[in-house]
Amino acid sequence: MLTELYVEHFVLIDALRLQFTQGLHVFTGETGAGKSLLLDATRLILGDRASAANVQRGFDHALVEAVFVVPPTHPAYGYLQDWGITVDEGTVVVSRTLYTSGRSICRVNGRTITVQMLKQLGDTLVEMQGQHESHALLSNRYQRNIVDLYGQHTHLSAQTAACYRTWQDDIRALEQAQVSEQERARQIDMLRFQIEEIEAANLTPGEEDALREERHQLLAFDKLKSNLDKLLAALEDPSFGAIAQLSAAEAASREIAAGVDALDDIRQMVESARVNAEEASFGLNKYAAQIEADPRRLDEIETRIAALRTLMRKYGASSEEILAHLATAKATYAQLLAHDELLERHRMKVEQSRSDYLQMARQLHQCRVKAASGLQAQVQAQLHRLQMTDARFVVEVTADENQCSEDGYDKVDFLFSGNPGENLMPLQKVASGGELSRTLLALKVVVADLEQIDTLIFDEIDAGVSGEAAQSVAVMLRQLGEDRQVLCVTHAAQVAAAGHAHFQIVKDNVDGRAHTRIYALNTKKRRLEVGRLLGASVSDNTALLHADALLESFRIEPSTRP
């Protein structure tokens, strides 16, 4: 329920704060006073399109803020929880700031949200019925939704929608499978080549890593072998090798040391050096023989790595990815070879899902036909209460399996006849403005208890209505306000008198500029305003007596006042 509305710098409104309770709140004023501004401001915090032209001249922004109190079971909680917005004691504060640049900022309980989110939330908080919104009543979709709301078969509608989506998914899968024969042959040839190429490579997972490691070892062996050869040459060369040189040195040392005992130690050291060199040569030859490798292996590894890189450029960055591509290619290849069988399976799925959908749609149709019968009877009764005793209202539900959708295959038409002897015709073709307004009101009365929206706003629902019909509209609006909140902009004295609270919208000229203000009327001022609506001046005592009678006819005990 809307408990407070604050508007600042919005068109002709400087600043105003209105407080509301449960019940019927009526708004009246002279033509041009700015009654539409209040509704436009309310639409702004419900997610409607904003215009920079709505910012009051001389200011850089306009602000509209509304405070709602909602019970824990209210649908708004679902959105707020999804958005991570906390609610303190059921209070939801919605605001929208509009700048002259055209940009607007939407907030809920201090958290910034998008305009689309604001509209989703607004649809759960307020239902507005004005001239713009009344056109929805004329659409078959809206009329179908009213029947579904009245019939309370939301679960069946959801199941029908789910079956329709499954059916459409199956149709798309079949269409994808229905490739042309030329394309199928091309794909078969391509996949066959890929499969043969990959299988011929005889890949194993992780093979490229193992090959690189082995290549590294072989390259290291070549370097080692080269160094071994150099060392053996240095030791064994018959002319310049260490062994030959040490052998010559040893012979010379013997001759020198033959008659000189003091040089015998030198001879022994030279001899030991020669023996060590020979032992080193022997050990190196033995080691070289042990590590001998196949010189062709490195070429084989390089060739294999090059082949793997070719496959990687085509099918994946590793042997694992190439093998995964091979599995996918084989599966697709098998499907293309078994194309007829695959198509048949898809066709069977489409037929089954279509059958499931039609079964649910038929059940939904039967429920709608039953709901339509009850709805038209109740709306007809409400129309009679609204002084439309000759009116006939029929809800026609027509099934057409060629017009399937998520909503089923039904077309719902509200048929109307306002006078005896006239044929029933679609409501949008035959109803006058007054008849359309009263039909909308009758529908709202019938489905009001089924909707979870606590605040209804009517913009001149009494348009084109006068006399006893206006009195009936007033009575019905007041009854609507007994257990919910109703805000109504009106020109009818009867509706104004029916309100539990009455606000007057006034336009003043101050220093050459127009300003719209809204005042809550006390008993005395309300009497004068109702008298004005009756078409008389304040001095017309007859009009005031009539106003007194109207107000008295709707007076209730204070203890039962909302």
Side-chain angles (χ1 to χ4, degrees):
M1 181 174 67
L2 176 65
T3 61
E4 187 174 295
L5 179 67
Y6 177 74
V7 183
E8 179 182 86
H9 304 320
F10 186 80
V11 193
L12 301 180
I13 299 174
D14 296 324
L16 67 85
R17 189 181 301 275
L18 302 175
Q19 294 180 328
F20 307 105
T21 60
Q22 184 174 296
L24 173 62
H25 303 70
V26 295
F27 296 83
T28 61
E30 294 279 4
T31 300
K35 295 187 291 296
S36 63
L37 296 183
L38 179 66
L39 298 178
D40 290 342
T42 305
R43 288 188 178 97
L44 200 64
I45 53 110
L46 297 179
D48 266 22
R49 181 178 298 177
S51 170
N54 289 331
V55 179
Q56 190 176 26
R57 183 163 57 90
F59 295 90
D60 64 353
H61 74 277
L63 171 66
V64 182
E65 183 176 85
V67 180
F68 295 89
V69 176
V70 295
T73 57
H74 196 279
Y77 270 85
Y79 288 117
L80 297 174
Q81 288 174 356
D82 290 343
W83 301 335
I85 298 175
T86 58
V87 179
D88 185 17
E89 296 182 352
T91 300
V92 178
V93 181
V94 182
S95 69
R96 189 168 180 186
T97 306
L98 174 62
Y99 295 91
T100 51
S101 63
R103 183 174 64 97
S104 70
I105 298 177
C106 312
R107 292 186 177 91
V108 174
N109 288 358
R111 287 279 301 276
T112 303
I113 62 172
T114 66
V115 175
Q116 181 59 37
M117 293 164 70
L118 181 62
K119 178 158 181 46
Q120 289 177 322
L121 181 65
D123 286 343
T124 70
L125 296 171
V126 175
E127 181 171 344
M128 182 172 286
Q129 294 295 338
Q131 184 176 5
H132 173 71
E133 291 82 7
S134 293
H135 289 298
L137 176 62
L138 305 180
S139 73
N140 295 115
R141 183 179 184 83
Y142 180 87
Q143 294 172 5
R144 183 178 59 224
N145 290 341
I146 288 289
V147 171
D148 289 343
L149 175 64
Y150 180 83
Q152 293 290 280
H153 39 252
T154 306
H155 181 63
L156 186 57
S157 297
Q159 287 182 310
T160 303
C163 287
Y164 180 81
R165 289 191 292 270
T166 300
W167 177 28
Q168 295 306 302
D169 288 343
D170 290 342
I171 289 175
R172 283 188 288 272
L174 173 60
E175 290 173 347
Q176 291 174 0
Q178 288 175 324
V179 296
S180 68
E181 281 303 312
Q182 183 179 3
E183 175 65 14
R184 187 168 79 93
R186 186 192 67 79
Q187 290 186 20
I188 287 174
D189 287 343
M190 179 188 68
L191 291 170
R192 182 188 297 116
F193 172 81
Q194 292 179 358
I195 292 168
E196 291 175 353
E197 184 178 31
I198 296 173
E199 286 184 335
N202 196 23
L203 296 177
T204 57
E207 181 180 358
E208 64 272 24
D209 292 333
L211 288 171
R212 278 193 287 266
E213 178 62 26
E214 186 178 357
R215 180 178 65 176
H216 176 73
Q217 292 176 359
L218 288 173
L219 290 173
F221 169 79
D222 281 352
K223 185 176 181 180
L224 174 63
K225 185 68 168 60
S226 176
N227 289 331
L228 282 173
D229 290 342
K230 289 178 182 179
L231 180 55
L232 285 171
L235 289 170
E236 298 177 345
D237 187 275
S239 299
F240 305 105
I243 294 175
Q245 293 294 325
L246 286 170
S247 296
E250 182 183 5
S253 68
R254 284 198 193 97
E255 293 178 4
I256 294 172
V260 183
D261 293 338
L263 296 176
D264 191 57
D265 290 341
I266 300 298
R267 179 193 63 76
Q268 291 179 12
M269 285 189 285
V270 173
E271 182 181 358
S272 295
R274 188 235 349 132
V275 171
N276 288 335
E278 288 177 347
E279 287 180 355
S281 175
F282 177 79
L284 286 172
N285 279 297
K286 183 178 179 180
Y287 177 76
Q290 291 175 348
I291 65 169
E292 190 69 35
D294 184 357
R296 295 172 298 178
R297 178 57 182 162
L298 185 59
D299 291 337
E300 292 175 355
I301 291 174
E302 294 292 358
T303 301
R304 180 64 171 173
I305 289 176
L308 288 177
R309 286 174 177 169
T310 299
L311 293 176
M312 288 176 186
R313 284 195 296 270
K314 293 181 179 181
Y315 308 121
S318 65
S319 56
E320 288 82 2
E321 290 186 15
I322 296 171
L323 291 171
H325 179 82
L326 174 63
T328 301
K330 283 184 173 180
T332 306
Y333 182 72
Q335 290 177 356
L336 290 171
L337 291 179
H339 187 59
D340 293 339
E341 294 83 349
L342 178 65
L343 285 180
E344 185 58 30
R345 286 197 298 272
H346 278 298
R347 291 190 187 100
M348 291 177 65
K349 284 191 68 176
V350 169
E351 191 58 37
Q352 182 60 53
S353 57
R354 177 179 181 274
S355 176
D356 294 341
Y357 166 76
L358 291 177
Q359 181 179 355
M360 296 304 302
R362 290 186 190 104
Q363 293 181 36
L364 183 59
H365 171 75
Q366 293 168 1
C367 290
R368 282 172 172 163
V369 170
K370 182 178 179 181
S373 177
L375 176 64
Q376 71 183 32
Q378 290 200 32
V379 172
Q380 181 85 39
Q382 297 299 330
L383 290 175
H384 287 177
R385 288 183 57 200
L386 291 169
Q387 307 302 313
M388 298 173 69
T389 55
D390 293 325
R392 286 188 297 154
F393 179 82
V394 172
V395 181
E396 183 179 72
V397 181
T398 306
D400 184 355
E401 293 189 9
N402 294 319
Q403 298 296 323
C404 296
S405 72
E406 287 190 10
D407 299 312
Y409 51 54
D410 294 320
K411 180 185 178 185
V412 176
D413 281 302
F414 288 174
L415 305 181
F416 182 82
S417 170
N419 298 295
E422 292 184 357
N423 294 328
L424 287 166
M425 296 285 288
L427 181 65
Q428 58 267 36
K429 292 185 178 181
V430 294
S432 65
E435 290 170 336
L436 187 60
S437 297
R438 281 182 283 176
T439 302
L440 174 62
L441 180 58
L443 281 166
K444 285 290 125 186
V445 170
V446 172
V447 302
D449 291 334
L450 303 175
E451 295 179 306
Q452 293 181 287
I453 297 177
D454 298 323
T455 300
L456 300 176
I457 299 179
F458 293 102
D459 181 13
E460 299 184 2
I461 191 69
D462 49 16
V465 179
S466 60
E468 291 185 9
Q471 179 71 13
S472 299
V473 169
V475 171
M476 194 168 288
L477 285 170
R478 187 176 178 90
Q479 289 177 349
L480 268 177
E482 293 296 338
D483 53 4
R484 64 183 49 79
Q485 184 182 69
V486 179
L487 279 62
C488 182
V489 174
T490 181
H491 287 291
Q494 296 92 328
V495 174
H500 296 99
H502 190 162
F503 297 85
Q504 185 179 22
I505 302 175
V506 178
K507 184 165 70 175
D508 299 326
N509 289 316
V510 179
D511 296 330
R513 290 186 61 178
H515 300 268
T516 293
R517 311 184 194 283
I518 303 179
Y519 303 98
L521 299 183
N522 58 26
T523 302
K524 180 179 178 181
K525 290 183 178 179
R526 186 177 187 186
R527 176 175 181 258
L528 296 176
E529 176 65 3
V530 172
R532 183 191 68 79
L533 291 171
L534 289 169
S537 65
V538 174
S539 61
D540 191 334
N541 193 54
T542 302
L544 293 178
L545 290 174
H546 189 186
D548 289 337
L550 275 177
L551 290 166
E552 185 61 31
S553 69
F554 287 106
R555 202 173 304 281
I556 58 175
E557 293 298 324
S559 60
T560 61
R561 220 174 261 173

